[in-house]
């Protein structure tokens, strides 16, 4: 009887330390906004630098609570809050922190964010990683290299700069 009482007390003391609270699960995530779900107020961010260990995919997360603050094609950093569901892509909540500035190249009509939006529209990859965005001034085109995390291959997309 005493043994059972001690076991219950031990569980009550130790168990709260095993439960992850939203305060313990804060972190940051930086990636390109590749999709938005306005109804659910979430955006899909895909990292261009971090790979998931022992896998050919880049890290990707649906972040709830930021869709009205970000645009497809932007590279942003968010603070993740709460428990991250470990599906691929992951799912969590977050708060918008900052946007990486991207300069429009000399001679270009559109900027890199708009070129990326057009590349995402043209190439319907489910979870694309941005590997390269380059403006070819001589040909007046954008060369965009995406990595398809579903098919595990690079995709080259050419976008004409608007006249």
């Amino acid at each position: 009887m005493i043994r059972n009482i001690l076991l219950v007390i031990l569980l009550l003391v130790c168990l709260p330390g095993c439960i992850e609270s939203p305060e313990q699960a804060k972190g940051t995530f930086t990636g390109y906004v590749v999709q938005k779900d306005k109804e659910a107020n979430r955006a899909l961010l895909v990292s261009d630098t971090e790979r998931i260990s022992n896998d050919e995919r880049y890290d990707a997360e649906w972040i709830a609570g930021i869709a009205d603050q970000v645009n497809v094609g932007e590279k942003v950093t968010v603070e993740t809050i709460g428990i991250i569901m470990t599906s691929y892509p992951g799912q969590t909540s977050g708060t918008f922190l900052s946007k990486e500035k991207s300069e429009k190249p000399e001679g270009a009509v559109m900027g890199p964010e708009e070129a990326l939006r057009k590349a995402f529209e043209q190439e319907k990859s489910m979870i694309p990683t941005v590997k390269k965005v380059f403006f070819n001034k001589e040909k007046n085109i954008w060369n965009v290299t995406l990595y398809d995390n579903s098919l595990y291959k690079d995709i080259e997309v050419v976008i004409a700069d608007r006249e």
Side-chain angles (χ1 to χ4, degrees), residues 140-152:
N140 206 29
I141 59 171
W142 287 89
N143 294 326
V144 178
T145 304
L146 302 174
Y147 179 78
D148 188 317
N149 286 286
S150 304
L151 301 174
Y152 307 111

Side-chain angles (χ1 to χ4, degrees), residues 112-163:
E113 292 166 356
E114 188 174 349
L116 280 174
R117 277 192 293 276
K118 290 185 178 287
F120 295 148
E121 289 170 8
Q122 184 176 322
E123 188 56 51
K124 297 293 184 189
S125 174
M126 294 298 290
I127 306 171
T129 295
V130 177
K131 290 183 81 176
K132 181 180 85 171
V133 181
F134 174 75
F135 178 67
N136 185 327
K137 186 177 178 178
E138 295 168 0
K139 294 183 179 179
N140 206 29
I141 59 171
W142 287 89
N143 294 326
V144 178
T145 304
L146 302 174
Y147 179 78
D148 188 317
N149 286 286
S150 304
L151 301 174
Y152 307 111
K153 68 175 189 172
D154 286 344
I155 299 169
E156 301 293 330
V157 183
V158 176
I159 305 293
D161 198 44
R162 290 184 284 155
E163 296 295 324

